[in-house]
Amino acid sequence: MGAQAAGPLVVGVDSSTQSTKALVVDAVTGAVIARGQAPHTVSGGAGKESDPRQWWQALGEALAQCGDAARQASAVSVGGQQHGLVTLDAAGAPVRPAMLWNDVRPAPQSERLIAERGGAAAWADRVGSVPGPAFTVAKWAWLKANEPASAAATAAVRLPHDYLTERLTGEAVTDRGDASGTGWWASSTESYDAEILAHIGLDPALLPRVALPGEAAGTVHAGHLPLPKGALVAAGTGDNMAAALGLGLRPGRPVLSLGTSGTVYAVSTHRPADPAGTVAGFADARGDWLPLACTLNCTLAVDRVAALLGRDRESVEDGGEVVMLPFLDGERTPNLPGASGLVHGLRHDTTGGQLLQAAYDGAVFTLLQALDRVLDADAAPDAPLLLIGGGARGRAWRETVRRLSGRPVVVPEARELVALGAAAQAAGLLLEEDPAAVARRWETARGAEYEARPRDEAAWERLTATLADGAPLLRR
């Protein structure tokens, strides 16, 4: 248990790839009263899959760890990993394990869908994004092609956060933020796209209702969870949208998130549509937009390089001209689903520490390259970068971001930003307030500040050249 509560309590949930976290938060002050966490398993090999029922079990375990505080909550909201394809039968049971966002098997379906529906620019104009292998639309097309019996048995299609919200409330509800990552919700009309759904053979009756920002999904009806029956349940949202809420982001403030995957994003009042496909034109959970670029290879890839070198992840060394593009698992930004890691410029005097620093540089470079596309033209070029995620705690990550971005950096003290954002959404629903304003009142973005350093132009140029020259190898 944490601090004593001054106001009503809310629960924010972060159902991620690896685990479910639950926070019980004071809706007025933002004080975390209790927390719990339970792990998930993800299949290895080519496919990245999880049984959705373990997310529900993990939610119950995480809430149980919160003790009596969870039983006193007045509202709850679920933030969940984006893009995952959850297929349910007529009884509401999973037809097969959920295909997760980082499952790149649908790369051929992604390419085919883009070509069949007018090309990348047409998708960006209509949907807001070019549907890469991560997008749910490509996953459904893969399922239809590879497991037609599973597709035929499917009576409901959900995203991971929808699945949990529906089990809490009995209502089939999603939100515009998470729906914008499917590829079948069009940002141009803010509705499901009937032509795309017909093209992929998905009946719109199988999809959940899209709640308006600030609208409740329903109330808690599941009796065996340690939550009060009748507590309000917000619509929830995708994990990136929840983190944006958790930071109380205003337009133009850039965020760089260093997790298993890396993301850069900012809230915008302009609907994004990047025909290059680098930026996903997501909606946010409030009614604005959340242009975002995501890399598959971030902290996990760099940690793997450190392990191969037998070094601690912080034991980097300056100097040398070695370049590494740590695309160990394919890559999404740039779109290279078949890529492997590339090292260039090794010399006799290259040290292990320099090679490890090169892995950091490669991971950060791909994120920062996308940052210029994410930010609106009128965004301040010297606005501080909010650095979040597990990597934000590491000195090597922070200093690499400072050296390659040339921007000031702020590392918020708040750690569980997806769960905090979900809690802010629940508090906003309960108190009838803007959830981002709730988070700003909680001062979630407060943290250590680091001044700007001159950008390392030589390293930037080496990375740019290696990415361009290595393209034939990376596209094999």
Side-chain angles (χ1 to χ4, degrees):
M1 289 283 283
Q4 292 300 304
L9 300 181
V10 294
V11 171
V13 176
D14 172 10
S15 181
S16 70
T17 317
Q18 305 290 343
S19 70
T20 292
K21 298 174 188 170
L23 297 182
V24 183
V25 179
D26 183 321
V28 174
T29 66
V32 176
I33 306 301
R35 50 170 49 85
Q37 182 171 355
H40 307 157
T41 56
V42 178
S43 67
K48 299 289 187 286
E49 299 182 343
S50 286
D51 184 341
R53 289 170 293 204
Q54 69 173 319
W55 305 335
W56 180 247
Q57 184 179 349
L59 175 58
E61 291 173 18
L63 288 168
Q65 291 169 28
C66 294
D68 285 343
R71 295 182 184 88
Q72 297 166 27
S74 300
V76 60
S77 178
V78 179
Q81 54 177 312
Q82 287 186 246
H83 303 305
L85 175 68
V86 181
T87 50
L88 306 175
D89 64 18
V95 171
R96 68 180 309 288
M99 294 177 70
L100 305 186
W101 66 275
N102 52 350
D103 191 327
V104 294
R105 287 177 295 174
Q109 284 73 28
S110 162
E111 290 180 11
R112 182 173 58 75
L113 284 171
I114 292 165
E116 287 172 351
R117 300 297 303 173
W123 276 91
D125 183 57
R126 185 170 184 152
V127 173
S129 301
V130 181
F135 277 64
T136 329
V137 68
K139 292 180 169 20
W140 176 257
W142 183 94
L143 193 70
K144 292 270 285 189
N146 291 276
E147 298 181 14
S150 294
T154 298
V157 170
R158 301 289 182 262
L159 295 164
H161 109 258
D162 309 341
Y163 171 78
L164 293 170
T165 300
E166 187 167 7
R167 290 202 65 172
L168 280 168
T169 62
E171 302 289 337
V173 178
T174 190
D175 89 301
R176 69 192 288 274
D178 215 2
S180 68
T182 59
W184 56 60
W185 184 90
S187 67
S188 56
T189 60
E190 298 221 22
S191 61
Y192 291 131
D193 191 305
E195 287 184 30
I196 290 172
L197 289 170
H199 184 75
I200 60 170
L202 179 57
D203 183 348
L206 273 58
L207 298 176
R209 175 177 74 85
V210 182
L212 295 171
E215 189 181 352
T219 58
V220 173
H221 86 139
H224 63 284
L225 285 185
L227 287 170
K229 272 196 171 184
L232 279 173
V233 180
T237 194
D239 52 5
N240 290 298
M241 296 80 196
L245 277 186
L247 288 164
L249 279 191
R250 296 184 191 275
R253 186 76 192 270
V255 177
L256 198 154
S257 176
L258 301 168
T260 303
S261 63
T263 53
V264 283
Y265 56 85
V267 170
S268 174
T269 55
H270 311 291
R271 184 178 80 89
D274 176 16
T278 300
V279 176
F282 294 143
D284 78 351
R286 289 180 57 256
D288 287 327
W289 304 96
L290 195 74
L292 177 147
C294 174
T295 60
L296 290 183
N297 296 282
C298 196
T299 59
L300 205 61
V302 172
D303 283 353
R304 181 64 187 137
V305 172
L308 286 170
L309 294 169
R311 299 181 77 90
D312 178 87
R313 64 167 68 117
E314 291 290 331
S315 60
V316 295
E317 294 170 16
D318 295 335
E321 296 189 351
V322 66
V323 175
M324 185 185 298
L325 298 173
F327 303 158
L328 307 191
D329 221 2
E331 189 44 85
R332 172 168 163 176
T333 305
N335 185 25
L336 299 164
S340 56
L342 184 68
V343 180
H344 176 69
L346 276 176
R347 299 289 186 187
H348 278 289
D349 61 354
T350 302
T351 68
Q354 289 169 347
L355 196 56
L356 181 56
Q357 180 60 65
Y360 278 98
D361 284 7
V364 169
F365 166 74
T366 48
L367 283 167
L368 291 177
Q369 259 205 327
L371 181 64
D372 291 338
R373 289 179 177 271
V374 163
L375 287 169
D376 293 334
D378 55 0
D382 57 350
L385 262 175
L386 282 167
L387 198 61
I388 65 170
R393 309 286 152 192
R395 184 180 183 278
W397 280 110
R398 185 185 72 233
E399 293 308 309
T400 303
V401 170
R402 289 178 72 202
R403 184 170 55 82
L404 290 180
S405 72
R407 286 176 180 263
V409 167
V410 176
V411 181
E413 289 169 19
R415 298 193 178 207
E416 295 125 327
L417 286 163
V418 174
L420 275 174
Q425 191 184 44
L429 179 65
L430 183 66
L431 304 174
E432 298 183 339
E433 287 186 55
D434 171 2
V438 169
R440 288 194 290 271
R441 187 174 71 234
W442 294 352
E443 296 188 316
T444 49
R446 187 184 63 235
E449 300 178 15
Y450 301 89
E451 63 186 22
R453 293 175 52 180
R455 192 167 87 162
D456 186 341
E457 298 292 351
W460 190 270
E461 287 169 15
R462 286 195 299 270
L463 283 154
T464 304
T466 303
L467 181 59
D469 295 344
L473 286 171
L474 293 168
R475 294 188 186 282
R476 274 188 187 170

